[in-house]
């Protein structure tokens, strides 16, 4: 009698402990994010005290009388605020879309970069720059480029009637190679004095110039897929049980899969629209999240979003404050991301086997 | 899906393929310059289109008839082609030398087939030498041809005397031949080895170059303006004209057809085929210089990163291309403009000096203190803010100081690189509206769209003068500045320009 009792109790306490741990981590992150947000709003090269930054933010929100210079307000509200919001949005979006791709394709190597989304979006943007189109079109093209790339990557294994992970990896290499060639061609024909610099700006991720007006139209394209993914997360778990089991549990396997991939792609493409390509976040942060709260997507996705947002916010603030000249953000994400990924793989080596 | 991919690919390829420049009707004004033929004044019915003069072939044949460069004109209605017969005396048809037009006309670009031929002394038959590619416009039913391209084809000298506002045709000399350098027997084939001389290029290399270099090639976009300032278009046989190409094509349309030897880095096979007398390399093109030298083509290296470089490069080109006089003249103009700029601002007291920065290809990216663009601000009497920040200086050009840093400086004037694609966004951004420069209307693109004055080159001096005009308008009015621009282009490039044309 003792044996079955023990057996049934142990997992239950395990689940409880997991849940407690999840809520604890969630709580810490949810608290940390606004603290960092305010801290980052208070630092920068323009001389403005933290107290004044906060008063300006409060004053602008409530419409209180202004006793600060208009230029100071411009710096806090017009430069720092959009930049901070953008880095949080992009970091969170890349992380949650990376987690989604990894869950859907059941492949720990997959990331937004890997599926060619970022490269495709850059090509879209670069084509629009070549055509001398306006900023709105550049974003639209970036978006379509990202979609085309991910569709190509996902379609190649299907054309070869293969569901294997290796095939998806190879497909990613094929599409990635093609994309870099097209990008190389665009750079080759671009006018070196004008267009090339703008194209480079897109491919080298940067938050150095974020305008609130440019970000607002993209916001719904980020928020809607974000909420959809959080709702879908339970079904992504079900899919990971395998097609037969998922169907027997009432899941619309194909529908869920397509919807989740579409949402993740929208998030990545929107991120590229805001900041250009930023590597490593979409790959490493989901793994870090899994290390903290386990592989269950309903827990992983919100955690990944929060960690991604915090990570990129901190990294961007470091790039704009640590040196006299601003450092390209991809240098830091790579410097932190690559060794960290190695460490994660080392710790997860048993699970991967 | 595959369709979508194909569509994207084709879109990408389509957008990147070169679009032909569509010829458009333009305005032709009666030529205001006097025309001298072998020293004698002749009134031609000629037009000035975009700075170049266009003449009727029959008028030229009529006037040159009897000279050593005489030629006959035959029109073949069947093939709709014009044949110019070298050496033949011209038979007038009666409509030559009509009175010069007095009003501006509409000129329509035409594609006339013009054949250059030679009459045989033995049986009076005609042998075709070549098909000419002459720039031509139709005005009121008559075809007018670019004088320089006709001179080049028939090998008579065409010169522009700025002081006298006169065009002179000289049949005693060949096209492009300098008056002081008349060769004794231009027709006899030269079999003796060509004379060489040693020059020291800007990498400090000793290079053997031809004493009479006839053709130069370059893959570096920055070389075009320097070579052109020293030798005009007639030595450029192949090159990457880059941004400056728009201007060169305007000054001398046939330049669009010059050969290609690479973009940025040299295409060795292409240059081996074309065999120019001299390859002009950027100082950083070390592998290219080695490759070209191995092909037996002399290669000299230039730098043009700052004012001193430009002066040195032009002096070197003057020696290497045997155009020292032109190089000296070009530099004299260059220094004259810079001296004028410095003199204009010399007596401005320190407290009235305007602070400025120059922003590059993206917002927040600026020219650092040691960079030429910042020195231009200083030369123009401005305070280069970055000069006080040596920590931003690096070996490379441009530094990402960050937008917030620019807000912290809040300069009086913000210059933007000519090609700044973000200017519209910036001007509409409410966050920027509170900057001093924005409120003073002093966030300005450096002119000009056709020939950027903040890129290192001979026209950099105009950039400095323009900065004087924008920072201290009471020292140099817009009219005075415009006049200086026209004078400079006339002196260096022998062409008339205006603000609309250059784009400023």
């Amino acid at each position: 009698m003792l044996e079955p009792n023990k057996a049934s109790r142990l997992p239950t306490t395990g689940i409880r402990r997991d849940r407690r741990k999840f809520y604890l981590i969630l709580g810490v992150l949810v608290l940390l994010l606004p603290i960092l947000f305010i801290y980052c709003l208070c630092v920068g090269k323009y001389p403005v005290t933290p107290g004044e930054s906060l008063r300006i933010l409060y004053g602008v929100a409530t419409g209180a009388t202004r006793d600060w210079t208009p230029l100071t307000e411009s710096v806090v509200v017009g430069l720092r605020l959009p930049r901070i919001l953008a880095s949080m949005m992009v970091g969170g979006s890349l992380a949650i879309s990376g987690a989604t791709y990894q869950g859907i394709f059941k492949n720990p190597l997959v990331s937004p970069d890997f599926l060619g989304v970022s490269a495709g979006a850059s090509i879209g943007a670069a084509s629009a720059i070549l055509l001398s189109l306006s900023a709105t079109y550049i974003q639209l093209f970036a978006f379509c480029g990202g979609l085309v790339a991910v569709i190509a990557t996902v379609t190649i294994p299907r054309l070869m009637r293969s569901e294997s992970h290796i095939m998806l990896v190879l497909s990613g290499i094929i599409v990635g190679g093609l994309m870099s060639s097209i990008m190389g061609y665009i750079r080759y024909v671009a006018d070196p004095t004008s267009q090339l610099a703008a194209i480079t700006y897109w491919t080298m991720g940067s938050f150095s110039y974020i305008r609130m007006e440019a970000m607002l139209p993209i916001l719904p394209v980020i928020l809607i897929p974000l909420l959809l993914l959080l709702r879908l997360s339970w079904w992504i778990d079900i899919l990971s049980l395998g097609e037969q089991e998922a169907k027997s549990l009432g899941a619309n396997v194909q529908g869920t899969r397509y919807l989740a991939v579409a949402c993740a792609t929208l998030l990545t493409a929107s991120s590229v629209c805001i900041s250009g390509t930023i590597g490593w976040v979409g790959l490493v942060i989901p793994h870090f999240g899994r290390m903290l709260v386990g592989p269950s997507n309903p827990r992983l996705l919100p955690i990944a979003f929060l960690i991604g947002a915090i990570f990129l916010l901190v990294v961007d603030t470091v790039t704009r404050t640590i040196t006299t000249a601003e450092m390209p953000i991809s240098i830091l994400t790579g410097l932190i991301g690559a060794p960290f990924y190695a460490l994660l793989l080392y710790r997860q080596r048993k699970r991967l086997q | 899906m595959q369709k979508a991919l194909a569509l994207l690919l084709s879109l990408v390829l389509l957008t990147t393929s070169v679009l032909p420049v569509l010829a458009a009707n333009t305005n032709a004004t009666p030529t205001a310059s006097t025309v001298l033929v072998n020293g004698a004044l002749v009134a031609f019915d000629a037009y000035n289109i975009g700075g170049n003069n266009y003449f009727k072939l029959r008028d030229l044949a009529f006037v040159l008839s009897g000279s050593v460069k005489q030629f006959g004109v035959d029109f073949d209605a069947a093939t709709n082609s014009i044949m110019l017969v070298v050496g033949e005396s011209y038979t007038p048809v009666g409509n030559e030398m009509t009175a010069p037009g007095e009003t501006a006309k509409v000129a329509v670009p035409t594609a006339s087939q013009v054949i250059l031929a030679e009459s045989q002394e033995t049986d009076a038959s005609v042998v075709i030498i070549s098909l000419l590619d002459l720039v031509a416009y139709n005005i009121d039913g008559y075809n007018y041809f670019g004088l320089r391209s006709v001179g080049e084809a028939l090998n008579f000298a065409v010169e522009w005397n700025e002081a006298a506002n006169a065009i002179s045709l000289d049949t005693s000399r060949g096209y492009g031949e300098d008056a002081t350098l008349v060769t004794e027997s231009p027709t006899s084939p030269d079999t003796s080895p060509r004379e060489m001389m040693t020059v020291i290029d800007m990498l400090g290399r000793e290079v053997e170059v031809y004493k009479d270099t006839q053709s130069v090639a370059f893959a570096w976009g920055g070389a075009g303006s320097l070579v052109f300032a020293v030798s005009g278009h007639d030595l450029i046989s192949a090159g990457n004209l880059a941004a400056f190409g728009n201007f060169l094509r305007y000054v001398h349309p046939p330049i669009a057809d010059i050969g290609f030897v690479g973009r940025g880095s040299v295409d060795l096979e292409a240059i081996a085929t074309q065999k120019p007398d001299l390859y002009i390399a950027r100082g950083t093109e070390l592998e290219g210089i080695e490759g070209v030298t191995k092909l037996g083509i002399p290669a000299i290296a230039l730098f043009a990163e700052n004012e001193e470089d430009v002066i040195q490069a032009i002096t070197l080109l003057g020696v290497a291309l045997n155009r020292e006089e032109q190089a000296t003249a070009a530099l004299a103009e260059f220094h004259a403009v810079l001296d004028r700029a410095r003199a204009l601002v010399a007596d401005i007291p320190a407290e009235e000096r305007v602070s400025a920065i120059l922003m590059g290809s993206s917002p927040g990216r600026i020219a650092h203190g040691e960079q030429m663009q910042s020195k231009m601000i200083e030369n123009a009497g401005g305070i280069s803010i970055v000069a006080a920040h040596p920590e931003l200086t690096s070996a490379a050009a441009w530094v990402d100081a960050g937008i917030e840093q620019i807000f912290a400086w809040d300069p009086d004037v913000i210059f933007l690189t000519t090609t700044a694609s973000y200017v519209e966004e910036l001007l509409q951004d409410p966050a920027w509206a509170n900057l001093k420069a924005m409120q003073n209307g002093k966030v300005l693109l450096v002119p000009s769209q056709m020939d950027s004055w903040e890129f290192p080159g001979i026209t950099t001096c105009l950039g400095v003068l323009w900065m004087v005009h924008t920072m201290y308008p009471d020292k140099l009015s817009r009219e005075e500045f415009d006049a200086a621009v026209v004078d400079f282009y006339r002196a260096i490039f022998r062409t008339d320009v205006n603000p609309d044309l250059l784009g400023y």
Side-chain angles (χ1 to χ4, degrees), chain B residues 41-66:
Chain B
L41 196 65
V42 181
F44 277 97
D45 174 23
Y47 287 89
N48 185 308
I49 302 169
N52 290 311
N53 288 299
Y54 291 77
F55 285 67
K56 286 196 244 179
L57 285 175
R58 286 192 180 277
D59 287 354
L60 288 171
F62 183 83
V63 171
L64 297 183
S65 192

Side-chain angles (χ1 to χ4, degrees), chain B residues 345-354 381 383 472 475:
Chain B
V345 298
D347 59 344
I348 296 175
E351 64 275 14
E352 283 175 31
R353 298 232 172 203
V354 168
I383 299 165
Y472 312 103
K475 296 279 176 192

